[in-house]
Amino acid sequence: MSLSSRRRFLQGALGAASALPLAMATRRLASANPRGLARRVIFFYYPDGIAGRSQNGEPSLWSASGRAPSIALGELLSPLSAIAGDCVFLSGLSMGSTDEGSHPGGAKKLLTAVDGGNGESVDQYLARTVGRSSPFRHIYLGAMATQNNASGDKFISYPSAGVTVAPEDDPVSAFRRIFSGATPGTPATSIDAGVASSDAGPAAPVAGVDDGADGLSLDTSLADLMDLRASLGAAERTRLDVHLDALHEVQDRLRGMPPSMPPTMADAGGVVTVSDAGLRPPPSLRCDAPSMAFDAPTGAGLFAPENFPAVLRAQIDTMVLAMACGMSRVGVIQASQHTSELIMSRFRGTDMYDPGFDMRSHQASHYGARQDRSNRLFSDYVKQVRWWVSQFGYLVEQLKSRPEGDGTMLDHSLVLLCSEVSDGNTHSHQDMPFVLAGRGGGCVSTGRAMSFDGRRHGDLLATIAQAMGASVDTWGDAGSGALPGLLG
Amino acid sequence: MRPSAVVFLCGLLSLGCDSADVAPAPPPSDTRGPVATIDPALRYAAMCASCHGEAGEGGLGSRLVDSARSVEQLTQIIDERMPQGNPGACRGTCASSIAQYIKSRFTSQALSCATVAPSVRRLRLLTRREYRATVRDLLDLPAPSTPPTTPPGTDPSCGRHRFVYSPPSAARSVHVAGSFNGWSPTAWPMSWVEGAREWQAERDLPDGTYQYKFVVDGSQWVSDPRATASMPDGFGGQNSVLTLRCADAGAPAPAPPAGVDPVEEATRSLPVESRPQGFAFDDNADSALVTSVHVNEYLRAGRSLTAAASSRLRAVVGCEASADRAACANTLVRGFGTRVFRRPLSAAEMQRYGALVTGARDVEQGVSRAVRAMLLSPSFLYRSEMGVAQPDGTFRLTPYEVAAALSYTYWGSTPDAALLAAAADGSLSTPAGTEREARRLLADPRARAQLATFALQWLGVETVATTPRSAAMFPAFTDAVRASMLEEARRLVTSVAFDGTHRFDELFTTRSTWVDATLASYYGLDGVSGSAFQRVELPEARQGGVLSLGAVLTRYAHSDQGSPILRGLFVRSALLCEEFPPPPPNAGGVPDVDPTATTRERFRQHTANPACVTCHRYIDGVGFGFERFDAVGRLRSTENGHPIDATGTVFDIERFGSDTRFDYATLPQLAGAIAQSEAARSCFARQYYRFARGFRETADQRCAVLDVTRRFRESGYDLRELMVAVTLSPDFATRRSP
């Protein structure tokens, strides 16, 4: 397909060859632990916090109490009322006092639970431990998260202490990378010979394509890297560990499995289709030839605020599709970036829409000392947070709509909603807004509000890690172990 | 096996689990310690140095050199009271690590610069721009020729095109989307021209062939009924095709159609660099990690690039005449291999890459395999600044590492044959030889482009291409204007450095700038036509050098209003190298747009409120000097009916605590003060040092930076001499282990 329309139909060409690592991955997992673990975790981040406890002491609008089916949700969480029974609403968790009052300070602690981001983030840890046998150990998708050459402290994923990586902001690139596997009929040695944006379906084998070359390149690159490591001191060597892991991951993916294994999971869910009208075709997901359509633009259009909802939607759908097809167990979706300049009043079809006025996320978050409904900053901020929450709700609903085993994908998943500060005006790092959705394979009993006053949010991350099967007792600074009662 | 039996491992939902059930999961196969703990030196530099001095020499804050306080006492002070204005930002281990750092490093001996400390040896991952430039050079895939520039005086319609559309029924909006703007349905709005009863948009377009459609009411894609050519759009419809060629017989050949540059195409999805907070440049070595996404994209790029170069790949690697694989392998690893790795290959590497050629089906396949493999090698992807061990325990860069450091500093690309030859014959082992090569590289046109890259990153303006601005308020601020503003910034800096006085102060005191017809008409300047950039004298109100660049004014603004805060912070941080803590909690955001007040009036609370004034007396008094410019870089004389007040005061321009004030009435006066400021000059040297070296300097580099600054000063603040000075600095070729 040429770039002739903004609507792009992406079609992967996983074929028999690339469906195989998936089967391999699930087998390994199954043997690792037969019951009671989350199959996957997705961290869903959005910027600039919530209308929490105000400077003047008014109570937080982010509140939940009771148990499903009579769970009571405050104004900011009410977009989740339809799926409240699938969520645990956590309150009272603290990120500590270091850098309190700072957006970047909060973003650094959010998934590392270490002051200053001076530690690996839990998503990266899970990716390289319990997630390492997946074709993609880690999938990090963004929506306008790299806008304005965002400095590294805007990103929440830390492969190593103090160092972030940038998410993939382009849904087309993300989809291509994940799903454009070897084309049917060619050996499983070329990871994306099939070009994603092809309207002719799986690309035919291209004349002159050398299927062995990628594997050979990886072999020589590994040999060179081992030579290089040998010349380094121990402290320098660890720096290249991420690189080494990366080469191994791609090599594993490329090697795949013998072509006699049948494609699987044809019955796992529906084709992911995005449209503003919300129309979606009947479920017919085929992981051997996944496809997706979305209205996301490319190039500079990826950073136009009016396109943000479509871009985010496409990234959520890509993530769900990747997870449904077993491509990964660990995902991070980063919507925008802290202290966001995203002009949310340009989102058409929402209650925030106002073509005559630019209301930015960070601007609205500084609504003042009081919860004043007549103050436009405050009233827009409430709308904005509700919109973010509804996007998380969409992600959860997508997982819930896909059958998996004797339940749905959501039954086997954990999805965490998070932001880098609590109240957006005071930049508080206390009583952080977290919602955990999904039953984690039976680990988590949902439909509850739970309060953990005085506990650190690293304890929540440790709990999630345990639910994924990782052997961690605590996570980050000042952790004291898994949150009591959250699992089981 | 049925998927349901294999895939769903979590068992019955009713099983539940507790932590004991979960525990038996396999332990992590490896445990990764912190790769780089956050350096207290970096924390000090970012949080403390602006008041206490870079090496603790004191300033607004107390002197820390040879402090009589104990580590415990310092820790307590930091923990409870620091930094000023944001206590609590550094507690616990943060406070104690900085206290230890201060006690161990800040001595009067270190302050004396008797010895210059080497920096840490590093591997520097190629940035995306370096990767692209390098593969262009290696594989002979030059950038598509820049759009032909029309000399002044020729047909003004040359290089421009007017799109016209008459919808069959009334439309609310029409945009033109095509290969020239990434098919953005919103980027290029058309305007309704009542007299002509049609929608129009006029755009600068270089010669070439484009596909496009009109987007009606944001959703309906229609082809242009007046187009003379069309082609299938892949959906059963037709894209309109536009071919532009200036009538001039002497005009250069048309540029290739947009989107066919194979290098751009192959590298489009390489991950964005992660820039540390406060580091303006894309080449920070310590934050560059190779993830599996990188590996994926490097493989893809290697595949596409070798395919794009396939017709001449054998010639590129020197195997044009080699009939047999062994001969080709031998040639390739010695010649082309040296260029890719920027050094001769080791015996093991020759064997490794030679085997790819000899083991292939034929020479063709062997060459392609070897090139693809080399493009994935760490020896290509990282440029090494590891050096070799010296008797005194330091490391010294090899001549080949020096060659790469020179070429990437001045060209942003790989060494040429002459530079590799200079490495081989030992000329780069001496400072004189290094300087000779540095000057040769600086005389090449590529040095201009590289300085332009530095300039855009230093000024922080690269994002002007996409940063959103209110279309309702600023309809004239088009994509063409954005692009021209960036070119204006490039031209201004490079023309001063290479064509003008070469002096730093001219960056601020010049009375002229560079514009094309688009920008001239946007700025309201007369007498410029065509798409060629030309130097124009500016009216006094628009003067100010880099301060009054359209890109700078636009970058430091919000979508709907200029921002004296962002502009003041830009001057204090990018131009004076001062760092400010983030605003405290409860600071409040940008005051609302008030249709009855000026921006300046709205921000008055900053200087009225004692909690704000600590920092904002330094920021606002500078930022107000830009008030004659709106959020998109246009002059204004009134705001909401009130006259503009663009006077201001700069406190402590040389250093916090220096207790000086400078009152100015106009932006050119403010610019003049910066031009003459020691702080601004040494800050510029520091910024260039960061860009050239790929790390944020700490107290350890204080003496090296002082040395660079001294050379800069002795040259009369000559920008080219500063560029040379960075490679003459005593720490250029020495390193230490971490």
Side-chain angles (χ1 to χ4, degrees):
Chain A
M1 182 193 305
S2 65
L3 288 169
S4 51
S5 163
R6 68 184 185 137
R7 165 156 287 199
R8 316 191 80 203
F9 292 85
L10 295 186
Q11 191 132 42
L14 283 167
S18 307
L20 297 170
L22 154 65
M24 180 167 62
T26 53
R27 251 204 331 241
R28 280 188 204 156
L29 277 173
S31 63
N33 196 315
R35 63 195 177 100
L37 290 183
R39 174 152 164 60
R40 62 184 71 84
V41 61
I42 302 171
F43 299 90
F44 182 94
Y45 164 88
Y46 79 93
D48 299 338
I50 59 167
R53 183 183 171 79
S54 73
Q55 202 174 327
N56 275 13
E58 291 144 306
S60 174
L61 299 186
W62 181 282
S63 65
S65 58
R67 264 182 180 273
S70 56
I71 204 158
L73 297 178
E75 184 171 4
L76 297 179
L77 287 170
S78 63
L80 301 179
S81 53
I83 51 167
D86 300 300
C87 299
V88 182
F89 300 91
L90 302 130
S91 63
L93 291 168
S94 162
M95 295 207 301
S97 62
T98 302
D99 289 339
E100 175 141 33
S102 150
H103 285 278
K108 289 171 183 173
K109 289 187 282 188
L110 188 58
L111 296 186
T112 63
V114 179
D115 292 350
N118 195 12
E120 186 179 19
S121 58
V122 71
D123 55 308
Q124 293 282 351
Y125 173 79
L126 292 174
R128 72 182 172 85
T129 55
V130 297
R132 75 180 293 119
S133 50
S134 304
F136 291 81
R137 293 174 189 170
H138 188 264
I139 295 180
Y140 186 15
L141 305 180
M144 301 188 195
T146 62
Q147 180 141 34
N148 282 346
N149 289 339
S151 72
D153 67 60
K154 301 264 191 186
F155 310 138
I156 57 170
S157 189
Y158 286 72
S160 68
V163 185
T164 56
V165 284
E168 172 62 77
D169 267 352
D170 183 348
V172 177
S173 293
F175 186 94
R176 169 184 57 70
R177 195 174 298 127
I178 298 167
F179 292 110
S180 296
T183 54
T186 60
T189 45
S190 177
I191 41 176
D192 64 356
V195 176
S197 51
S198 159
D199 52 351
V206 181
V209 166
D210 179 357
D211 295 307
D214 281 348
L216 292 168
S217 297
L218 287 166
D219 292 343
T220 52
S221 184
L222 271 167
D224 285 359
L225 191 64
M226 296 315 286
D227 284 357
L228 181 59
R229 284 179 96 248
S231 71
L232 303 179
E236 297 163 313
R237 224 172 273 166
T238 48
R239 239 194 103 63
L240 291 179
D241 284 352
V242 175
H243 190 158
L244 192 62
D245 273 1
L247 288 172
H248 281 138
E249 176 183 336
V250 177
Q251 198 170 47
D252 286 351
R253 202 145 73 213
L254 211 58
R255 283 181 178 155
M257 293 206 355
S260 57
M261 292 282 290
T264 58
M265 301 194 65
D267 57 344
V271 166
V272 178
T273 298
V274 186
S275 70
D276 294 333
L279 299 169
R280 51 194 66 250
S284 63
L285 177 70
R286 289 180 50 91
C287 289
D288 55 342
S291 66
M292 185 169 112
F294 61 89
D295 292 336
T298 57
L302 280 172
F303 296 99
E306 56 272 28
N307 293 332
F308 185 90
V311 173
L312 179 59
R313 183 60 57 99
Q315 296 290 43
I316 292 173
D317 289 341
T318 300
M319 183 67 80
V320 170
L321 190 57
M323 294 286 179
C325 293
M327 303 305 283
S328 184
R329 295 186 66 200
V330 181
V332 180
I333 296 176
Q334 175 167 352
S336 191
Q337 49 180 232
H338 71 69
T339 45
S340 173
E341 288 275 303
L342 180 63
I343 305 167
M344 299 180 74
S345 58
R346 294 207 196 158
F347 296 178
R348 281 197 188 79
T350 69
D351 60 358
M352 298 170 282
Y353 184 62
D354 180 353
F357 188 82
D358 285 357
M359 183 63 87
R360 300 175 293 275
S361 163
H362 183 233
Q363 173 191 22
S365 75
H366 283 286
Y367 58 86
R370 295 188 306 113
Q371 296 176 353
D372 175 1
R373 299 278 169 178
S374 67
N375 174 359
R376 176 157 183 185
L377 290 173
F378 181 73
S379 57
D380 272 35
Y381 185 45
V382 168
K383 291 175 190 169
Q384 292 181 355
V385 177
R386 284 172 53 87
W387 189 82
W388 292 120
V389 169
S390 73
Q391 299 307 297
F392 170 76
Y394 171 80
L395 166 60
V396 173
E397 280 167 1
Q398 288 304 297
L399 294 167
K400 194 179 179 181
S401 71
R402 291 185 168 67
E404 187 175 79
D406 48 3
T408 70
M409 276 180 77
L410 185 61
D411 292 328
H412 302 279
S413 305
L414 291 175
V415 195
L416 183 70
L417 172 64
C418 56
S419 189
E420 82 284 355
V421 292
S422 170
D423 180 64
N425 182 56
T426 65
H427 295 174
S428 167
H429 290 187
Q430 312 306 319
D431 193 16
M432 293 296 294
F434 290 111
V435 177
L436 184 65
R439 290 183 182 79
C443 288
V444 178
S445 101
T446 55
R448 304 183 280 169
M450 299 181 79
S451 177
F452 295 101
D453 282 341
R455 294 294 292 261
R456 295 293 286 263
H457 85 294
D459 295 342
L460 170 61
L461 302 181
T463 314
I464 290 171
Q466 289 181 3
M468 285 289 289
S471 336
V472 295
D473 296 326
T474 62
W475 190 263
D477 292 338
S480 50
L483 294 174
L486 182 53
L487 294 187
Chain B
M1 202 183 295
R2 293 297 305 150
S4 55
V6 183
V7 174
F8 308 115
L9 57 132
C10 283
L12 297 172
L13 299 184
S14 56
L15 261 181
C17 77
D18 55 32
S19 359
D21 281 345
V22 177
S29 56
D30 58 332
T31 46
R32 180 182 299 150
V35 167
T37 48
I38 289 181
D39 192 351
L42 278 176
R43 286 199 200 211
Y44 178 88
M47 300 168 75
C48 324
S50 45
C51 290
H52 291 282
E54 193 172 19
E57 64 271 31
L60 195 57
S62 54
R63 184 179 164 92
L64 301 171
V65 171
D66 300 328
S67 171
R69 291 199 165 89
S70 68
V71 169
E72 291 69 32
Q73 288 169 320
L74 287 173
T75 302
Q76 192 184 350
I77 293 170
I78 297 167
D79 193 287
E80 290 172 2
R81 306 211 295 263
M82 293 291 136
Q84 202 92 76
N86 193 22
C90 179
R91 293 208 160 114
T93 53
C94 173
S96 62
S97 68
I98 290 182
Q100 278 159 18
Y101 173 73
I102 288 169
K103 281 295 281 183
S104 64
R105 304 303 271 279
F106 292 171
T107 62
S108 38
Q109 202 212 337
L111 211 56
S112 72
C113 286
T115 56
V116 173
S119 61
V120 171
R121 61 185 202 160
R122 289 177 166 91
L123 295 169
R124 300 178 63 178
L125 185 69
L126 298 184
T127 66
R128 288 171 298 162
R129 65 180 166 79
E130 288 170 340
Y131 180 99
R132 289 179 185 128
T134 302
V135 296
R136 284 190 199 287
D137 285 351
L138 291 174
L139 300 178
D140 190 23
L141 291 168
S145 54
T146 43
T149 49
T150 314
T154 57
D155 176 9
S157 74
C158 199
R160 278 183 87 71
H161 180 72
R162 179 183 292 174
F163 296 91
V164 176
Y165 178 59
S166 315
S169 56
R172 277 174 288 115
S173 74
V174 180
H175 291 75
V176 56
S179 51
F180 33 70
N181 63 7
W183 293 94
S184 165
T186 52
W188 290 15
M190 301 179 76
S191 311
W192 174 250
V193 180
E194 186 58 38
R197 307 287 304 158
E198 61 190 12
W199 295 81
Q200 296 183 357
E202 198 169 318
R203 288 282 166 168
D204 283 338
L205 274 178
D207 283 359
T209 302
Y210 306 93
Q211 295 185 42
Y212 67 101
K213 276 192 178 183
F214 296 118
V215 186
V216 179
D217 292 337
S219 61
Q220 210 184 326
W221 291 70
V222 296
S223 44
D224 182 356
R226 302 189 202 184
T228 52
S230 61
M231 57 192 297
D233 65 5
F235 292 96
Q238 296 283 315
N239 285 338
S240 305
V241 174
L242 169 69
T243 301
L244 287 180
R245 187 167 304 184
C246 283
D248 236 309
V260 300
D261 174 11
V263 173
E264 207 52 51
E265 192 58 33
T267 57
R268 198 159 36 94
S269 302
L270 278 175
V272 172
E273 294 81 14
S274 179
R275 306 182 192 199
Q277 200 172 1
F279 191 86
F281 308 104
D282 61 357
D283 62 348
N284 190 280
D286 293 338
S287 58
L289 293 174
V290 173
T291 67
S292 66
V293 175
H294 289 81
V295 173
N296 232 142
E297 293 301 327
Y298 290 143
L299 277 174
R300 192 174 83 90
R303 186 161 54 236
S304 324
L305 291 168
T306 47
S310 61
S311 62
R312 67 205 112 122
L313 206 53
R314 280 181 70 163
V316 161
V317 303
C319 288
E320 212 166 13
S322 329
D324 75 282
R325 289 166 295 171
C328 172
N330 197 31
T331 311
L332 185 146
V333 297
R334 284 180 167 75
F336 183 72
T338 302
R339 293 177 55 211
V340 179
F341 286 5
R342 305 173 282 269
R343 58 166 172 78
L345 273 59
S346 70
E349 289 163 342
M350 286 195 188
Q351 206 279 327
R352 207 170 282 154
Y353 290 95
L356 290 179
V357 183
T358 53
R361 185 179 61 224
D362 51 29
V363 170
E364 203 88 348
Q365 188 189 51
V367 166
S368 163
R369 284 184 170 183
V371 172
R372 283 166 67 171
M374 283 180 165
L375 293 183
L376 190 68
S377 171
S379 301
F380 165 71
L381 296 170
Y382 297 103
R383 52 193 180 95
S384 169
E385 294 189 358
M386 301 302 285
V388 288
Q390 304 295 302
D392 64 357
T394 65
F395 294 81
R396 184 156 189 85
L397 299 192
T398 68
Y400 285 100
E401 288 173 335
V402 169
L406 292 175
S407 72
Y408 282 95
T409 298
Y410 298 127
W411 289 353
S413 187
T414 200
D416 65 355
L419 201 46
L420 290 176
D425 70 17
S427 2
L428 290 180
S429 308
T430 66
T434 302
E435 181 173 353
R436 193 164 53 243
E437 282 301 313
R439 292 190 185 282
R440 177 179 72 84
L441 301 192
L442 273 175
D444 186 283
R446 278 181 274 187
R448 289 182 88 104
Q450 176 72 348
L451 183 67
T453 299
F454 163 78
L456 295 197
Q457 296 190 3
W458 163 54
L459 298 171
V461 297
E462 297 154 290
T463 58
V464 166
T466 57
T467 192
R469 287 292 172 267
S470 168
M473 293 174 72
F474 311 116
F477 185 65
T478 61
D479 283 2
V481 169
R482 291 170 186 262
S484 293
M485 280 180 171
L486 290 175
E487 185 61 16
E488 179 196 15
R490 290 188 197 100
R491 300 251 180 173
L492 181 76
V493 174
T494 54
S495 70
V496 167
F498 291 101
D499 312 322
T501 63
H502 314 152
R503 284 177 206 287
F504 172 75
D505 66 349
E506 195 190 345
L507 292 174
F508 298 90
T509 57
T510 177
R511 293 177 181 178
S512 56
T513 192
W514 291 77
V515 293
D516 59 358
T518 301
L519 206 50
S521 100
Y522 181 78
Y523 288 160
L525 306 170
D526 296 329
V528 179
S529 61
S531 56
F533 274 77
Q534 59 186 82
R535 189 187 181 107
V536 292
E537 291 289 312
L538 290 167
E540 210 229 337
R542 263 220 87 89
Q543 289 173 15
V546 297
L547 297 192
S548 65
L549 282 170
V552 166
L553 296 162
T554 302
R555 169 64 179 84
Y556 300 102
H558 297 293
S559 63
D560 54 0
Q561 54 180 304
S563 169
I565 309 308
L566 294 178
R567 289 165 176 178
L569 270 173
F570 157 70
V571 169
R572 303 240 54 146
S573 61
L575 304 184
L576 298 174
C577 291
E578 294 165 351
E579 319 233 4
F580 288 84
N586 324 333
V590 181
D592 276 348
V593 171
D594 177 345
T596 66
T598 64
T599 308
R600 187 169 186 138
E601 285 162 350
R602 288 189 291 122
F603 281 94
R604 191 146 286 160
Q605 55 163 328
H606 279 158
T607 35
N609 180 342
C612 306
V613 77
T614 320
C615 288
H616 280 279
R617 70 191 291 260
Y618 295 112
I619 299 168
D620 302 20
V622 176
F624 288 143
F626 297 82
E627 275 301 284
R628 291 212 54 195
F629 295 93
D630 68 9
V632 289
R634 290 176 313 185
L635 271 176
R636 56 183 185 177
S637 52
T638 60
E639 182 184 10
N640 297 324
H642 301 281
I644 298 279
D645 176 1
T647 64
T649 304
V650 193
F651 291 103
D652 292 359
I653 192 168
E654 299 299 359
R655 198 178 60 184
F656 290 150
S658 58
D659 201 21
T660 60
R661 68 176 286 160
F662 170 77
D663 298 302
Y664 62 89
T666 66
L667 189 65
Q669 286 177 18
L670 170 62
I674 292 168
Q676 295 306 316
S677 143
E678 286 300 327
R681 291 158 171 163
S682 69
C683 177
F684 188 80
R686 188 175 294 257
Q687 296 279 18
Y688 190 73
Y689 181 91
R690 290 176 188 171
F691 175 71
R693 299 298 297 276
F695 62 85
R696 167 71 157 83
E697 81 290 350
T698 66
D700 275 352
Q701 280 77 50
R702 179 176 159 275
C703 297
V705 173
L706 281 177
D707 184 77
V708 171
T709 310
R710 176 184 59 79
R711 291 170 194 267
F712 188 31
R713 183 173 60 244
E714 287 171 0
S715 73
Y717 300 104
D718 184 307
L719 299 170
R720 295 167 312 169
E721 293 305 314
L722 169 64
M723 291 187 261
V724 176
V726 168
T727 49
L728 296 181
S729 129
D731 77 334
F732 172 64
T734 56
R735 296 292 184 274
R736 65 175 173 88
S737 57

